Structures are given as C-alpha cells and as structure tokens.
C-alpha cells in the first residue's frame, strides 16, 4: 500500500464526514455543545470574573469521536452537565475539577441539564496528521482506523468507515431504554 492509498483514504474520510453531517442534519438528530473552559481571572485587582464554559461548536458524539456541524473531527474529551455544582467535598482533586466544570457550565449560560463536551482535541484529517498518529484515529497501510478504547492496540483498531457507520446507526436508532 502506497501513498496513493493514503491520499485516497483521507479523501474518502473527508467525504464521509461531509455525508455524515448532511445525514444527521437532515434527520434532525440533536447536537450537543462543544465548549472551552475559561478560567477565573482578576480584573483591576478588585473585581473577579468567575470561570465559565464558552460554546465553540455544535457536535454529534460518535463514541470516542465528535463531529461538528462543519465536518470537523475531534477526539472526545470529558463531558459535564450544567447542574448545580454542590459544595466542595475536599476528597479528590478530580471530583473538585468536575464540580468546577458543572458550575462553569451554568455560569456560561447553558440550560440546566445540558450535556456539554469539553477538553476535546481536534483531529488533523490530513495524510500527515493521521500517519502514525497517537490519538484515536490513525492511518496505517492505507487504511484509517479508530482505537475505540484506550486499551485497544493498533492491530485491534476498527476501520473508521465501519466504526462511523455503526455509531451513526446507534445515534439515529438508540437501543430501547438508552
């Protein structure tokens, strides 16, 4: 498999992403916000601006991947909900970080109960960006694959077209009770 296979695989993925956006939009599948965390800061040594989440895009979650409405691809990061953060528990740093994100979501103006995607990483959908990439999507021997779990090695990764097809079906037709 040569460079022509890699170029063809990348072009095929870009077309597939565009088709996915059109399909999900036409089917009116709801999107979720993708947001950046803006930390608290002092203004003029006296006033303070609290942290908040700021929406940057609308996305569909497809397992370990997010696709935005402009056909951009992301490695999914953390999610949070816009709910009252509660009081500090002083138990674990990770719990306090999640509590902070919940409060920042409300301060960012998200409706209560909204699920927000944060800490997502854009994926460079080019031959150079995907060749031997360390993230969930990588190109090897002319085939773009997805590491659908952190515990999955390169050899067990799925071809991305099969992965996306499966995930879109689950998004459009979730199992009963999901």
């Amino acid at each position: 498999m040569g460079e022509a296979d890699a170029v063809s695989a990348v072009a095929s993925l870009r077309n597939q992403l565009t088709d996915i956006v059109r399909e999900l939009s036409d089917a009116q599948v709801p999107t979720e916000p993708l947001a950046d965390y803006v930390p608290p800061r002092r203004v003029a040594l006296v006033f303070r601006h609290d942290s908040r989440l700021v929406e940057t895009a609308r996305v569909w979650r497809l397992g370990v991947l997010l696709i935005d409405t402009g056909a951009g691809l992301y490695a999914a990061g953390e999610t949070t909900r816009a709910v009252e953060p509660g009081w500090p528990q002083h138990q674990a740093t990770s719990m306090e970080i999640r509590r902070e994100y919940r409060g920042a979501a409300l301060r960012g103006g998200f409706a209560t109960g909204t699920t927000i995607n944060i800490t997502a990483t854009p994926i460079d959908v080019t031959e150079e960006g995907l060749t031997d990439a360390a993230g969930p999507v990588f190109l090897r021997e002319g085939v773009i694959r997805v590491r659908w779990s952190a515990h999955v090695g390169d050899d067990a990764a799925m071809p991305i077209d099969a992965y996306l097809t499966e995930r879109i079906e689950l998004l459009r037709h979730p199992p009963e009770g999901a």
Side-chain angles (χ1 to χ4, degrees), residues 52-94:
R52 65 189 186 290
L53 292 180
V54 177
E55 186 172 321
T56 58
R58 300 294 298 184
V59 296
W60 291 280
R61 175 176 284 277
L62 299 172
V64 297
L65 303 176
L66 303 174
I67 298 177
D68 70 20
T69 55
L73 190 62
Y74 298 81
E78 297 177 67
T79 60
T80 192
R81 278 191 158 322
V83 295
E84 284 298 325
W87 295 99
Q89 299 298 311
H90 307 292
Q91 290 183 4
T93 302
S94 61

Side-chain angles (χ1 to χ4, degrees), residues 1-177:
M1 306 237 169
E3 186 176 331
D5 294 324
V7 170
S8 175
V10 169
S12 177
L13 175 58
R14 286 187 178 151
N15 290 334
Q16 186 178 17
L17 293 173
T18 301
D19 291 345
I20 288 169
V21 168
R22 185 175 21 257
E23 176 185 348
L24 295 176
S25 295
D26 290 349
Q28 298 181 351
V29 175
T31 58
E32 299 175 345
L34 174 64
D36 284 338
Y37 175 77
V38 177
R41 61 186 174 90
R42 291 246 179 241
V43 179
L45 299 175
V46 178
F47 302 104
R48 176 185 154 112
H49 283 230
D50 288 333
S51 63
R52 65 189 186 290
L53 292 180
V54 177
E55 186 172 321
T56 58
R58 300 294 298 184
V59 296
W60 291 280
R61 175 176 284 277
L62 299 172
V64 297
L65 303 176
L66 303 174
I67 298 177
D68 70 20
T69 55
L73 190 62
Y74 298 81
E78 297 177 67
T79 60
T80 192
R81 278 191 158 322
V83 295
E84 284 298 325
W87 295 99
Q89 299 298 311
H90 307 292
Q91 290 183 4
T93 302
S94 61
M95 287 177 64
E96 291 303 312
I97 290 170
R98 287 191 300 272
R99 189 181 72 73
E100 169 63 16
Y101 284 152
R102 289 190 303 268
L106 286 178
R107 289 188 294 276
F110 292 98
T112 300
T114 303
T115 299
I116 303 128
N117 296 281
I118 50 178
T119 66
T121 306
I123 295 174
D124 181 6
V125 185
T126 62
E127 184 183 350
E128 298 80 24
L130 295 175
T131 301
D132 299 321
V137 179
F138 65 98
L139 175 65
R140 184 197 277 170
E141 297 174 359
V143 178
I144 299 175
R145 297 185 172 274
V146 177
R147 293 178 192 97
W148 48 271
S149 168
H151 306 293
V152 170
D154 291 358
D155 294 333
M158 284 180 77
I160 195 163
D161 54 347
Y163 180 83
L164 291 173
T165 300
E166 179 181 298
R167 286 297 171 165
I168 289 166
E169 182 62 25
L170 286 170
L171 187 61
R172 291 196 63 200
H173 308 287
E176 196 171 318

